[in-house]
Amino acid sequence: MRLSRQRRMVLELLWDERDHLSARDIFERLNAKGRNIGHTSVYQNLEALQSAGVIECLDRANGRLYGYRSDPHSHITCLDSGAIQDLDVELPADLLDRIEKETGYRIENYTLSLSGRRLKP
């Protein structure tokens, strides 16, 4: 994959923000920083980067969100704010064995999608 100026701008923003952003968020933040890029370029470059496995894409009810990570990982979503946090969680081997026995599938990879509310101190 060729790393064009626009792709580099999108990647740098995602790496700097370390958040899950919509294409509109990315467009607005880049332009607010004085980076001239159009809506179409943002969408096309996000699609290319996601297709190449460089970034992640999360399909949510309110649209797609893009993140800077491409490695397998899990997420927790705040039910109050909608904020998404990356999680690096390893399930216990006995739980994976149980899932394999119950489903008849050999687990090769997994991601968890959790949701909840922050605990009050």
Side-chain angles (χ1 to χ4, degrees), residues 2-43:
R2 190 174 141 269
L3 189 59
S4 66
R5 182 181 67 85
Q6 291 91 355
R7 285 187 188 143
R8 184 181 305 277
M9 288 190 311
V10 169
L11 277 175
E12 286 175 355
L13 178 76
L14 288 172
W15 288 334
D16 290 347
E17 299 281 331
R18 296 195 177 272
D19 201 354
H20 300 86
L21 303 172
S22 69
R24 180 184 263 324
D25 293 333
I26 293 166
F27 167 78
E28 290 173 354
R29 291 180 191 193
L30 286 173
N31 281 283
K33 291 181 176 195
R35 308 285 180 106
N36 277 345
I37 188 168
H39 276 104
T40 303
S41 290
V42 169
Y43 285 101

Side-chain angles (χ1 to χ4, degrees), residues 15-101:
W15 288 334
D16 290 347
E17 299 281 331
R18 296 195 177 272
D19 201 354
H20 300 86
L21 303 172
S22 69
R24 180 184 263 324
D25 293 333
I26 293 166
F27 167 78
E28 290 173 354
R29 291 180 191 193
L30 286 173
N31 281 283
K33 291 181 176 195
R35 308 285 180 106
N36 277 345
I37 188 168
H39 276 104
T40 303
S41 290
V42 169
Y43 285 101
Q44 289 173 340
N45 285 292
L46 286 169
E47 185 61 33
L49 291 166
Q50 189 264 327
S51 293
V54 177
I55 61 173
E56 73 173 327
C57 176
L58 304 174
D59 286 311
R60 300 295 176 162
N62 58 346
R64 288 181 159 188
L65 298 176
Y66 298 89
Y68 70 99
R69 292 181 65 176
S70 61
D71 61 313
H73 62 282
S74 299
H75 300 97
I76 186 162
T77 303
C78 178
L79 293 171
D80 295 321
S81 69
I84 301 170
Q85 182 177 335
D86 291 327
L87 295 173
D88 292 304
V89 176
E90 192 171 323
L91 294 177
D94 61 327
L95 178 57
L96 291 173
D97 289 342
R98 185 173 138 209
I99 293 169
E100 288 181 346
K101 286 178 183 144

